[in-house]
Amino acid sequence: MSPSFQPGKVLETRPTPGQELAWAQARVKAYPTSPYAWAHAAREVFHQHRCQEALEVRRQAVSKLPGEWPREE
């Protein structure tokens, strides 16, 4: 059953965990050097209870950080 139209009301739809993981993997492919994309992918893998794989993806994210990071401001 589809929700009825109500002017001014915003319907919230949340992606499934599988959709979140697919988007995270797509971001990694689109931005392979982005630590943020890798960290997000690690989070999504972790939430799918794939801890060892999440740790490996997180290590890849950290390896993408610039060598001088973090630095004093």
Side-chain angles (χ1 to χ4, degrees), residues 3 27 32-33 36 39 55 64-65:
R27 278 191 290 276
T33 59
Y36 172 77
L55 286 173
K64 307 261 184 237
L65 292 170

PDB file of all heavy atoms in Angstrom, residues 3 27 32-33 36 39 55 64-65:
ATOM      1  N   PRO A   3       1.756   5.261   0.483  1.00  0.00           N
ATOM      2  CA  PRO A   3       1.244   6.313   1.361  1.00  0.00           C
ATOM      3  C   PRO A   3       0.458   7.339   0.558  1.00  0.00           C
ATOM      4  O   PRO A   3       0.754   7.591  -0.605  1.00  0.00           O
ATOM      5  CB  PRO A   3       2.500   6.926   1.966  1.00  0.00           C
ATOM      6  CG  PRO A   3       3.611   6.531   1.074  1.00  0.00           C
ATOM      7  CD  PRO A   3       3.190   5.277   0.373  1.00  0.00           C
ATOM      8  N   ARG A  27      31.362   4.816  -3.799  1.00  0.00           N
ATOM      9  CA  ARG A  27      32.191   5.989  -3.485  1.00  0.00           C
ATOM     10  C   ARG A  27      33.672   5.629  -3.517  1.00  0.00           C
ATOM     11  O   ARG A  27      34.500   6.416  -3.958  1.00  0.00           O
ATOM     12  CB  ARG A  27      31.809   6.560  -2.123  1.00  0.00           C
ATOM     13  CG  ARG A  27      30.592   7.457  -2.173  1.00  0.00           C
ATOM     14  CD  ARG A  27      30.400   8.209  -0.883  1.00  0.00           C
ATOM     15  NE  ARG A  27      29.988   7.374   0.223  1.00  0.00           N
ATOM     16  CZ  ARG A  27      28.730   7.016   0.471  1.00  0.00           C
ATOM     17  NH1 ARG A  27      27.762   7.429  -0.314  1.00  0.00           N
ATOM     18  NH2 ARG A  27      28.450   6.252   1.501  1.00  0.00           N
ATOM     19  N   PRO A  32      39.012   6.644  -5.232  1.00  0.00           N
ATOM     20  CA  PRO A  32      39.864   5.617  -4.623  1.00  0.00           C
ATOM     21  C   PRO A  32      40.930   6.150  -3.674  1.00  0.00           C
ATOM     22  O   PRO A  32      41.445   5.401  -2.859  1.00  0.00           O
ATOM     23  CB  PRO A  32      40.494   4.919  -5.819  1.00  0.00           C
ATOM     24  CG  PRO A  32      40.407   5.884  -6.939  1.00  0.00           C
ATOM     25  CD  PRO A  32      39.189   6.715  -6.677  1.00  0.00           C
ATOM     26  N   THR A  33      41.251   7.429  -3.742  1.00  0.00           N
ATOM     27  CA  THR A  33      42.278   7.971  -2.850  1.00  0.00           C
ATOM     28  C   THR A  33      41.680   8.722  -1.665  1.00  0.00           C
ATOM     29  O   THR A  33      42.411   9.278  -0.858  1.00  0.00           O
ATOM     30  CB  THR A  33      43.226   8.913  -3.613  1.00  0.00           C
ATOM     31  OG1 THR A  33      42.455   9.976  -4.167  1.00  0.00           O
ATOM     32  CG2 THR A  33      43.972   8.180  -4.716  1.00  0.00           C
ATOM     33  N   TYR A  36      38.024   9.436   3.405  1.00  0.00           N
ATOM     34  CA  TYR A  36      36.642   9.490   3.869  1.00  0.00           C
ATOM     35  C   TYR A  36      35.819   8.369   3.235  1.00  0.00           C
ATOM     36  O   TYR A  36      35.052   7.700   3.919  1.00  0.00           O
ATOM     37  CB  TYR A  36      36.011  10.844   3.553  1.00  0.00           C
ATOM     38  CG  TYR A  36      34.533  10.854   3.838  1.00  0.00           C
ATOM     39  CD1 TYR A  36      34.068  10.968   5.149  1.00  0.00           C
ATOM     40  CD2 TYR A  36      33.602  10.705   2.818  1.00  0.00           C
ATOM     41  CE1 TYR A  36      32.715  10.947   5.422  1.00  0.00           C
ATOM     42  CE2 TYR A  36      32.245  10.684   3.090  1.00  0.00           C
ATOM     43  CZ  TYR A  36      31.808  10.806   4.388  1.00  0.00           C
ATOM     44  OH  TYR A  36      30.474  10.773   4.651  1.00  0.00           O
ATOM     45  N   ALA A  39      36.778   5.115   4.863  1.00  0.00           N
ATOM     46  CA  ALA A  39      36.306   5.026   6.250  1.00  0.00           C
ATOM     47  C   ALA A  39      34.805   4.743   6.285  1.00  0.00           C
ATOM     48  O   ALA A  39      34.322   3.962   7.096  1.00  0.00           O
ATOM     49  CB  ALA A  39      36.622   6.314   7.000  1.00  0.00           C
ATOM     50  N   LEU A  55      38.065  -4.081   9.500  1.00  0.00           N
ATOM     51  CA  LEU A  55      39.382  -3.653   9.965  1.00  0.00           C
ATOM     52  C   LEU A  55      40.356  -3.462   8.805  1.00  0.00           C
ATOM     53  O   LEU A  55      41.130  -2.496   8.785  1.00  0.00           O
ATOM     54  CB  LEU A  55      39.953  -4.668  10.956  1.00  0.00           C
ATOM     55  CG  LEU A  55      39.314  -4.663  12.346  1.00  0.00           C
ATOM     56  CD1 LEU A  55      39.849  -5.829  13.160  1.00  0.00           C
ATOM     57  CD2 LEU A  55      39.572  -3.348  13.049  1.00  0.00           C
ATOM     58  N   LYS A  64      45.552   6.051   3.396  1.00  0.00           N
ATOM     59  CA  LYS A  64      45.303   7.090   2.395  1.00  0.00           C
ATOM     60  C   LYS A  64      45.469   8.498   2.962  1.00  0.00           C
ATOM     61  O   LYS A  64      45.472   9.470   2.217  1.00  0.00           O
ATOM     62  CB  LYS A  64      43.885   6.945   1.832  1.00  0.00           C
ATOM     63  CG  LYS A  64      43.580   5.564   1.311  1.00  0.00           C
ATOM     64  CD  LYS A  64      43.730   5.498  -0.164  1.00  0.00           C
ATOM     65  CE  LYS A  64      43.325   4.115  -0.652  1.00  0.00           C
ATOM     66  NZ  LYS A  64      44.369   3.462  -1.375  1.00  0.00           N
ATOM     67  N   LEU A  65      45.584   8.611   4.302  1.00  0.00           N
ATOM     68  CA  LEU A  65      45.758   9.937   4.901  1.00  0.00           C
ATOM     69  C   LEU A  65      47.111  10.510   4.508  1.00  0.00           C
ATOM     70  O   LEU A  65      48.079   9.770   4.353  1.00  0.00           O
ATOM     71  CB  LEU A  65      45.660   9.843   6.426  1.00  0.00           C
ATOM     72  CG  LEU A  65      44.281   9.495   6.965  1.00  0.00           C
ATOM     73  CD1 LEU A  65      44.362   9.201   8.451  1.00  0.00           C
ATOM     74  CD2 LEU A  65      43.302  10.619   6.705  1.00  0.00           C
TER      75      LEU A  65
END
